[in-house]
Amino acid sequence: MLNGMLQWLVSLAVVTELVAICLDSRELSAVAGVAFVTAFLAGAGRLQGYARMLLVIALLILGGLAWRGSLNSGQVLKAASDAAFYSAFLGSLGLMQCLVRRFEVLRRIHDVLLGGRPMLLYPKYALVSCGVATVLSFGMMNLLCGSLSDTLRERGIFGESRLQWLRSVLISALRGFALVPLVAPTSVAVAILTRELPQLSWSQLLPFGVVAALVMVLIGWVLEQRRFRKVSSERVAVDGWLPGTGRLLFLILLVFTVMAGLVAITGFKVSVAAMLSVPTVTLLYMFWQERGLMPVLKEGAGQVWAMQNEMAIFAASAILGVALSAVIPADALAGLVATGGGVFLVAMVGMLMLPMFSMVGIIPITVLSVQAGLLPQLVAEGMDLLPVAVALVIGFSLAMMLSPFGPSVMLLSRFGQISRWVVAFRWNGLFALIALPALLVLTALVAWLIPGQ
C-alpha cells in the first residue's frame, strides 16, 4: 500500500517540476523538491544503504547550516529546487526505458552489435552505447548488462570464456556510457553546469567534448581490440533488420526533433527540452499501443519509482552542492583566474577532483554539484568559464568509470557477478592512466588557445 502511494507521489513530483520549469517558478519547484525528499524518506527502508546515508547526511548538513544562520531562506529554497530538478531530470529521461520491453531489436542488441568485422567491435560498442545512453540514461546499462547475462546463459558460455565476454562487451559499454557527458545534451553533468551558468550552452562544450571522446575511444580501441577477437568466434549472426528497428529509429528521431523544436521556440536549454520531450513521446507511444490511460500511467509510475535509489542520490547531491558551496568564502578562489595558467590550474584541479573523490566513494554528481556552485563566483572574478566547464565534463566522464560506488559500475558488477573494485580499477585503471595525460593536454590547449585567453 505504502509503496504504491510513494510511486504516485514521486511521479506527481516529476510532473510538478516539469510544470515549474515551464512556468519558471522556483517556489513550485521547491514544492516538488519537498515531495521528492518526503517520498524518499518515507521509503527509506527500500533505498540502498549508500543512497539512504547520502540523503540523511545532506539533510542534516542543510538543516544544521540553516539553523546556525549560515544559509538564508533563498539558499534553502534553491536547495529544494535543485533537488527537484535533478531528480526529475533522471525520472523523466528514465521513462524511455519503458520502450525497451516493446522492441525485439533492443532485447537482441548484442547479436546486432557483434555483427561485422571483429576489428571494429570496440568502437562500435562504445559509440552505440553512448548513443543509446543519450536517450535511455542508466537504462542503457540495464539493457546491455541484463541482455548480455541472458545471452551468455542461453548459449551455455561459462568460465574463462564468460569472463572474456564480460570484460570485452560490458567494459566497452561502460566506457561508451561514460562518453555521454562529453557529447550529449541529456547528460546530468551538462544539466548541472548549464543550470548554474545560464551563459553556458551545450553547443559551446560540444566541439571539445567530441575531441575528448574520440581520444578516449581510440585509447580503448587499442587496449581492447585483441580481446574482442577472441569473443567474436562465439557470436550469432543476425540476418537483416530485426522487427521494430525502423519504428524505434523513428521514435528516437522524433524525440530529438521535439527537443530541437522546444529549444528553437521557447529558448529552453537542451537538457530541459529533453526532460519535456522524452516522457511526452514515450507516454504517447505507450498510449497508442495500450489504448488505455491507466495501464500507461501505472507502468510509467512504476518505472520512475524503480529509479528511486539514483533519484535519491541525485537529490542529496543537489542539496549538498548548494549547502557546501554557500559556506565557502566568497574570495576563496580570488586571484586564480587572471591568466591562462590560472584558468588551467582551476580546470586541472576541478577535473582531477572528480575521479579522485569517486574512487573513495563520493560519486561524481555530488562533487560536481559542489563545484558548480562555485563557478558563478569565478565568473564574477573575470574567469572565462569554458575551459573549466570542459575540464569538469571530462573529469565527470572519467569518474563514471572509476567510481566503485557509482550506479553504472554497480550495475555492471551486479549483472556480471564481478567485484565492483575489479571493474573500476583493474579493468579501467590502465585505460585511465593512459587517457589522463592526453586529456590534460587537451584541457591546457582549451585554456590557452580559445578566444579571450
Side-chain angles (χ1 to χ4, degrees):
M1 181 67 176
L2 177 61
N3 194 56
M5 293 175 61
L6 295 178
Q7 285 187 22
W8 290 109
L9 178 59
V10 169
S11 296
L12 179 61
V14 171
V15 174
T16 303
E17 174 60 15
L18 295 180
V19 173
I21 290 172
C22 295
L23 298 178
D24 193 23
S25 171
R26 174 162 287 185
E27 291 75 15
L28 185 58
S29 180
V31 171
V34 172
F36 276 118
V37 172
T38 300
F40 298 145
L41 290 176
R46 297 169 175 82
L47 294 177
Q48 295 176 355
Y50 183 84
R52 184 167 58 245
M53 177 185 68
L54 188 64
L55 181 63
V56 170
I57 290 174
L59 292 174
L60 288 175
I61 291 175
L62 182 72
L65 292 175
W67 181 74
R68 287 177 50 196
S70 301
L71 294 176
N72 58 40
S73 58
Q75 290 166 324
V76 174
L77 187 72
K78 184 178 187 303
S81 175
D82 285 2
F85 179 83
Y86 299 133
S87 295
F89 181 84
L90 183 58
S92 58
L93 295 185
L95 274 176
M96 197 72 175
Q97 179 69 10
C98 292
L99 296 181
V100 170
R101 60 185 67 93
R102 289 170 163 80
F103 289 93
E104 182 182 352
V105 64
L106 293 177
R107 294 195 297 271
R108 297 190 59 193
I109 192 169
H110 292 288
D111 290 333
V112 175
L113 293 178
L114 286 169
R117 298 175 58 187
M119 185 66 147
L120 301 177
L121 292 181
Y122 179 87
K124 182 193 295 186
Y125 250 100
L127 295 175
V128 170
S129 298
C130 177
V132 174
T134 61
V135 180
L136 289 184
S137 188
F138 289 106
M140 187 280 296
M141 291 300 294
N142 275 295
L143 167 65
L144 291 183
C145 293
S147 57
L148 181 61
S149 298
D150 294 340
T151 298
L152 296 179
R153 185 170 55 252
E154 291 169 2
R155 296 179 191 168
I157 298 175
F158 300 104
E160 182 63 26
S161 182
R162 179 180 183 275
L163 189 62
Q164 289 292 337
W165 272 80
L166 291 172
R167 179 158 185 178
S168 299
V169 173
L170 294 188
I171 209 65
S172 58
L174 174 61
R175 291 177 190 165
F177 182 47
L179 298 179
V180 172
L182 300 173
V183 299
T186 52
S187 164
V188 68
V190 173
I192 290 173
L193 291 172
T194 55
R195 180 175 172 85
E196 291 295 331
L197 298 167
Q199 64 270 55
L200 181 69
S201 68
W202 169 67
S203 60
Q204 291 176 286
L205 295 171
L206 182 60
F208 308 104
V210 168
V211 174
L214 291 176
V215 169
M216 294 170 74
V217 169
L218 180 61
I219 293 170
W221 192 0
V222 172
L223 292 176
E224 301 296 333
Q225 57 92 14
R226 181 178 299 176
R227 199 170 284 111
F228 260 108
R229 289 178 182 271
K230 296 179 181 179
V231 305
S232 64
S233 61
E234 298 175 300
R235 54 188 171 166
V236 174
V238 173
D239 296 324
W241 294 95
L242 289 172
T245 302
R247 184 178 296 177
L248 176 63
L249 292 176
F250 170 76
L251 286 173
I252 293 175
L253 179 62
L254 180 60
V255 166
F256 284 104
T257 300
V258 174
M259 285 171 56
L262 286 172
V263 171
I265 295 171
T266 66
F268 283 150
K269 294 286 188 180
V270 178
S271 54
V272 171
M275 292 171 67
L276 296 169
S277 60
V278 168
T280 299
V281 172
T282 300
L283 293 174
L284 286 175
Y285 178 77
M286 292 167 63
F287 179 73
W288 176 76
Q289 272 207 326
E290 301 293 338
R291 304 296 181 182
L293 182 60
M294 285 310 298
V296 170
L297 294 180
K298 287 180 180 178
E299 183 178 350
Q303 175 59 39
V304 171
W305 182 241
M307 297 179 288
Q308 58 185 298
N309 285 289
E310 291 83 1
M311 293 170 72
I313 290 171
F314 277 34
S317 299
I319 293 170
L320 279 174
V322 173
L324 296 180
S325 60
V327 298
I328 295 176
D331 59 349
L333 300 176
L336 289 177
V337 296
T339 66
V343 173
F344 174 65
L345 176 63
V346 174
M348 180 183 68
V349 171
M351 179 201 294
L352 294 177
M353 282 176 64
L354 284 153
M356 289 175 63
F357 276 98
S358 292
M359 287 188 288
V360 298
I362 304 176
I363 63 171
I365 186 176
T366 304
V367 181
L368 185 61
S369 295
V370 177
Q371 293 172 324
L374 298 174
L375 293 183
Q377 176 190 141
L378 292 174
V379 174
E381 291 289 329
M383 179 196 75
D384 190 322
L385 56 90
L386 187 56
V388 176
V390 170
L392 291 181
V393 293
I394 292 174
F396 196 93
S397 176
L398 288 172
M400 289 172 66
M401 293 180 267
L402 295 172
S403 173
F405 299 93
S408 52
V409 170
M410 292 183 74
L411 278 171
L412 193 156
S413 172
R414 174 162 58 88
F415 280 108
Q417 299 178 335
I418 300 293
S419 166
R420 62 179 183 265
W421 305 99
V422 169
V423 174
F425 300 140
R426 187 183 301 172
W427 288 2
N428 278 319
L430 178 61
F431 172 85
L433 288 175
I434 296 173
L436 189 58
L439 296 172
L440 285 173
V441 170
L442 173 62
T443 303
L445 290 174
V446 177
W448 271 298
L449 298 181
I450 65 169
Q453 291 298 326

